[in-house]
Amino acid sequence: MRTLLKSDIANLIKQKDIDLPMIKIVEVLNALIDISKEELSKGNKIRIRNFGTFEKRTYGSRKRCDPYTHELKMYPAVNRIHFKQSSGFKKLLNGGD
């Protein structure tokens, strides 16, 4: 298993016989990432058919015990990105058709 970097993804796109120069592929990839970040920060969902849905979720504040001082501390609410895979992608990952 390996970690793909943005440059690796651009190279894989280039290998798909896309008739664009590498600089344009990188610009499109950067634009996709920028648009995704902007829309998710506004609270919009991003749904990519046969892949999945990205959405921003807010997790409430919580009380936790500090392991060093053993006192209760309040941790503030946080926003996180949640990804739900599509059923077709789930089948692909689990060896289905």
Side-chain angles (χ1 to χ4, degrees), residues 29-80:
L29 191 55
N30 286 333
L32 174 67
I33 291 169
D34 290 341
I35 290 168
S36 298
K37 288 194 292 191
E38 289 171 17
E39 293 303 315
L40 287 168
S41 67
K42 291 177 190 175
N44 296 329
K45 289 183 182 182
I46 297 175
R47 181 171 292 136
I48 302 172
R49 191 167 190 203
N50 295 323
F51 184 68
T53 303
F54 296 88
E55 67 179 315
K56 179 175 86 170
R57 287 195 179 169
T58 302
Y59 295 90
S61 59
R62 342 173 267 295
K63 284 186 211 175
R64 295 283 187 240
C65 181
D66 186 320
Y68 299 107
T69 62
H70 300 291
E71 62 183 278
L72 284 177
K73 288 187 177 182
M74 282 297 293
Y75 288 88
V78 294
N79 293 317
R80 301 204 190 276

